[in-house]
Amino acid sequence: MAELGRMLGRTALGAAGTAAAGATLAGLGYGLIQAEAKLTRRIVGNPFDGAPDDDGVYGAAPGDPVQLLVLGDSTAAGMGADTRYQTIGAILATGLAAIMGRPVELTNEAVVGAESSDLSAQLSKALARVDQPDVAVILIGANDVTHRIDRSVSVKHLQRTVRYLRTLDVPVVVGTCPDLGTVEPVPFPLNKLLRQWSRELATAQTVAAVEAGARTVSMGDLLGPEFAASPAIMFSQDRFHPSAAGYARVASALLPSVAAEVDAWPDGAERDTEPEASRGEGIGALDDAAERAASSPGTEVGPAEVSGRRAGPRGPWAMLRRRGEHQVTDV
């Protein structure tokens, strides 16, 4: 999610090139949105040289390390974190190590500014370093939105990457596109467009990733309420990328899904329970689950079967789970 301010100018221009967005801009006033994009470019800074190098082994337990891959953009890379231990990958590795009683080796090939089209190259580099990953986590989408990449193109790249990993029997968890409309410096009505585009991409990502065999976790406006209440704590100095506390929040939403994919919980510990209908959990059509997840941060969607079949009259089945409220942890 690098250089939001610079990209927003292209966002406004790119939006005018599509019929749907053009109609929206006509109602909101294209000139106003252009002016707001310029204002936001001045407000949102880019004070970071890059992200911490968080590759390495986490956890002091004996045994062969669990191999964790992280792919994606600046959020996956940890831009805005002060130390290597504050990135999403490091927090996930530390959490898995504690749950499993084994060391976890993190290989992070995420790149600041990456789009979905960059995932294949990242995966190639990762597989050159790790023969058999145990689980992969992908966080991507924000730059596709700000660059106005066609959704079908974006999700095709994501789905191709997930499918390749699944052919290698690597479980995959995808954190879908965050709601960029919750970024505080972005004014109305530009924030409404970013929210719409973000959620549309997140919905499409969920469908594509789950069809390919991954679980997805909705990032949505996961950081929005906390940013409004404590922006100096939850977001870094550029007012766009998460801070250490913000990354802990995101990682806490991802960790249960990652742990479930590698069956991390020791004997006697709590595993995935039966879905609770009272919480909106259960099996249904994938399209419906994807739309619900896009507006409900922390929601997991994964493949499901009904009577031994992965698809019904309305398309693939999906399991929707609400992992509950995820508290920020100390880092």
Side-chain angles (χ1 to χ4, degrees):
M1 296 194 296
E3 300 179 2
L4 172 68
R6 178 173 59 81
M7 295 171 183
L8 283 173
R10 293 203 294 266
T11 298
L13 291 171
T18 64
T24 303
L25 288 170
L28 294 175
Y30 178 60
L32 174 61
I33 289 181
Q34 274 195 314
E36 290 184 344
K38 291 179 181 178
L39 175 62
T40 305
R41 287 201 302 272
R42 291 197 297 268
I43 295 173
V44 177
N46 188 27
F48 306 113
D49 293 329
D53 180 1
D54 57 359
D55 282 351
V57 177
Y58 295 80
D64 294 332
V66 177
Q67 297 294 332
L68 168 64
L69 297 188
V70 172
L71 310 175
D73 55 23
S74 56
T75 297
M79 190 172 185
D82 295 322
T83 74
R84 66 191 297 260
Y85 299 101
Q86 297 172 344
T87 69
I88 290 174
I91 297 170
L92 289 175
T94 302
L96 281 179
I99 293 168
M100 302 180 73
R102 291 175 58 187
V104 175
E105 184 169 5
L106 170 62
T107 301
N108 192 338
E109 286 292 345
V111 175
V112 173
E115 301 170 2
S116 298
S117 59
D118 297 310
L119 290 174
S120 293
Q122 292 182 19
L123 179 57
S124 294
K125 291 179 180 179
L127 294 179
R129 299 170 59 193
V130 182
D131 291 334
Q132 184 57 49
D134 292 298
V135 64
V137 175
I138 302 173
L139 294 162
I140 200 74
N143 293 312
D144 296 78
V145 170
T146 58
H147 289 165
R148 294 304 294 138
I149 305 300
D150 185 89
R151 282 196 305 278
S152 64
V153 174
S154 296
V155 299
K156 186 180 297 183
H157 287 294
L158 173 61
Q159 189 174 64
R160 183 182 297 126
T161 301
V162 172
R163 280 182 171 155
Y164 189 81
L165 282 163
R166 296 300 297 128
T167 64
L168 301 177
D169 293 326
V170 179
V172 183
V173 176
V174 175
T176 57
C177 182
D179 182 352
L180 298 181
T182 62
V183 178
E184 191 262 358
V186 180
F188 176 86
L190 184 56
N191 61 348
K192 297 300 182 183
L193 284 178
L194 288 173
R195 172 167 293 164
Q196 174 187 334
W197 296 334
S198 299
R199 290 189 175 183
E200 287 173 351
L201 178 57
T203 300
Q205 286 177 320
T206 298
V207 172
V210 173
E211 283 183 342
R215 299 189 193 209
T216 64
V217 178
S218 170
M219 296 294 98
D221 59 350
L222 194 66
L223 298 171
E226 285 77 11
F227 183 91
S230 304
I233 296 175
M234 297 304 296
F235 273 62
S236 60
Q237 58 182 306
D238 69 356
R239 303 174 66 188
F240 180 68
H241 291 89
S243 64
Y247 280 130
R249 170 79 169 175
V250 175
S252 69
L254 290 166
L255 181 58
S257 299
V258 177
E261 279 288 11
V262 295
D263 195 22
W265 307 104
D267 291 341
E270 182 179 353
R271 288 178 166 81
D272 278 342
T273 58
E274 290 298 315
E276 297 182 20
S278 62
R279 299 177 57 189
E281 297 182 332
I283 296 176
L286 174 56
D287 287 349
D288 288 344
E291 289 184 5
R292 291 168 61 191
S295 59
S296 182
T299 300
E300 178 193 281
V301 180
E305 293 184 357
V306 175
S307 300
R309 298 180 179 179
R310 295 194 60 182
R314 297 180 55 197
W317 296 113
M319 171 66 77
L320 184 148
R321 293 184 184 276
R322 302 190 187 280
R323 292 294 186 177
E325 293 297 320
H326 300 281
Q327 302 299 321
V328 175
T329 58
D330 292 333
V331 291

